[in-house]
Amino acid sequence: MNQRPKIVVIGSLNMDLVVKAVRAPKRGETVLGEEIHFIPGGKGANQAIGLARLGAETTMIGAVGSDAFGVELMKALQADGVNTSTVKVLNSEATGVASILLAEGDNSIVVVPGANAQCLPEDLDRYEGIISEADLVLLQLEIPLVTVEYAIKLARKHGTPVMLNPAPAQSLSQDLLSQVDYLTPNRSELALLAKMAEESAIDQGIQRLLELGVSCCVTTLGAEGVAFMELGTSTLANISGYMVPVVDTTGAGDAFNAGLAFALAQKKSIREAAEFAVKVSALAVTKFGAQGGMPSLAEVEAYFRRAVDEENRHLK
């Protein structure tokens, strides 16, 4: 393995309130749940832990409240070796919360930002040195957009590559998109950003984003895998997903982004990085909880080595 890559994650920290039910309620309906769990989450924190477990030297920039949820989120990050000295702790705001319903093998999520809304551009100025020394900066959209924009400008000032996971979905300016090295939308986020119908062809949506200045667009397609295209190419590349026993899909996208960022920060090609990220996300959904499901590098290598061995045995 290459020297540990240095990655800065700038994003959200939430406490996930996860409710399991047989099915989702219809409008105006009440259904009985089976379980409730309080699990550290937030796209930023999830991806930071995913990176740390894979072996990256990871720094988390964000904000939490000084309440019990904030304390737990910081402990969870620290337990996996994430640098949290750059996380702002606020007395005036509650920690962000995500309410997650798991039903019928899928999830639906409502996020209350709380302290995440106070992750501000001026906070980043204090950590410009860390950003300048990083191999990659990873961002999402659960913090103020003005902070995301400022983070991208700071990273580009120092030549640090930028990966943006544009979730939750929202429209983004061409100026912002043109400064992103790696954009990782899912199918619906791709449609919104490209201003196209969701049923439009994936390659048309990706091509549109490249025309807007994105250097490389990697679109996640759930169980189908991923599709990607780089600026200057006209051929869509596809990587198939893996058939695995699904326990919880909540952290699949975050695991994918962690895997992709980790491999790219190691200077792997986009194809190599995407192939690795698909493996990381496949393994993540076999466990419960977004952060709990994040695998280590050793786990990823061992799992897929066994899968290859079993396939070879079947072929004999």
Side-chain angles (χ1 to χ4, degrees):
M1 177 177 148
N2 296 349
Q3 184 178 7
R4 291 180 69 196
K6 293 181 180 179
I7 299 178
V8 176
V9 180
I10 305 171
S12 58
L13 301 94
N14 293 321
M15 181 59 77
D16 292 349
L17 278 57
V18 183
V19 174
K20 293 184 74 173
V22 173
R23 63 176 179 84
K26 298 172 185 174
R27 181 178 295 183
E29 182 188 23
T30 299
V31 300
L32 290 176
E34 298 176 324
E35 301 173 17
I36 185 167
H37 301 272
F38 295 84
I39 303 172
K43 287 188 175 297
N46 292 347
Q47 293 176 19
I49 283 182
L51 282 161
R53 288 194 187 158
L54 290 171
E57 189 177 320
T58 309
T59 296
M60 176 84 223
I61 298 177
V64 295
S66 58
D67 49 37
F69 283 168
V71 171
E72 288 303 311
L73 294 179
M74 295 285 271
K75 284 182 179 177
L77 288 164
Q78 292 160 2
D80 277 295
V82 176
N83 174 17
T84 60
S85 65
T86 45
V87 176
K88 183 166 64 174
V89 180
L90 299 167
N91 294 319
S92 57
E93 294 283 348
T95 299
V97 171
S99 177
I100 301 170
L101 174 63
L102 301 179
E104 301 169 294
D106 213 335
N107 65 76
S108 54
I109 305 172
V110 177
V111 176
V112 181
N116 292 306
Q118 297 304 314
C119 179
L120 303 172
E122 52 262 37
D123 297 323
L124 305 184
D125 286 330
R126 288 193 289 275
Y127 308 121
E128 184 172 350
I130 295 173
I131 291 169
S132 71
E133 294 173 357
D135 294 303
L136 185 140
V137 167
L138 177 56
L139 296 150
Q140 318 79 30
L141 298 177
E142 287 184 340
I143 57 174
L145 187 57
V146 64
T147 307
V148 174
E149 293 170 339
Y150 191 68
I152 292 172
K153 288 177 182 176
L154 265 186
R156 290 189 69 84
K157 173 183 173 182
H158 296 285
T160 305
V162 173
M163 180 188 295
L164 174 62
N165 175 211
Q170 61 177 284
S171 295
L172 299 173
S173 69
Q174 182 173 355
D175 179 60
L176 186 153
L177 290 170
S178 67
Q179 298 180 73
V180 172
D181 296 292
Y182 305 99
L183 189 72
T184 60
N186 63 20
R187 196 188 300 262
S188 60
E189 292 154 2
L190 174 70
L192 177 67
L193 293 171
K195 296 180 172 60
M196 301 173 74
E198 193 165 333
E199 59 270 17
S200 299
I202 297 295
D203 59 344
Q204 292 177 355
I206 291 180
Q207 187 64 56
R208 172 62 180 148
L209 291 180
L210 296 185
E211 290 168 1
L212 292 174
V214 174
S215 297
C216 179
C217 182
V218 184
T219 300
T220 55
L221 305 172
E224 297 172 41
V226 300
F228 66 89
M229 191 185 299
E230 293 181 271
L231 195 63
T233 65
S234 56
T235 304
L236 187 73
N238 290 276
I239 296 170
S240 298
Y242 291 92
M243 294 290 290
V244 295
V246 176
V247 173
D248 181 5
T249 62
T250 308
D254 294 331
F256 178 86
N257 279 275
L260 190 70
F262 179 77
L264 288 171
Q266 288 186 309
K267 313 304 181 189
K268 299 285 179 65
S269 71
I270 186 60
R271 172 169 284 281
E272 289 173 320
E275 287 174 346
F276 175 72
V278 168
K279 291 179 178 178
V280 174
S281 61
L283 192 51
V285 303
T286 66
K287 299 179 184 178
F288 183 74
Q291 292 183 10
M294 296 294 171
S296 68
L297 182 60
E299 287 174 325
V300 175
E301 292 173 342
Y303 184 92
F304 287 96
R305 187 163 53 243
R306 285 196 303 272
V308 169
D309 289 344
E310 288 174 9
E311 185 176 332
N312 289 338
R313 280 200 297 274
H314 290 150
L315 291 174
K316 288 179 181 178

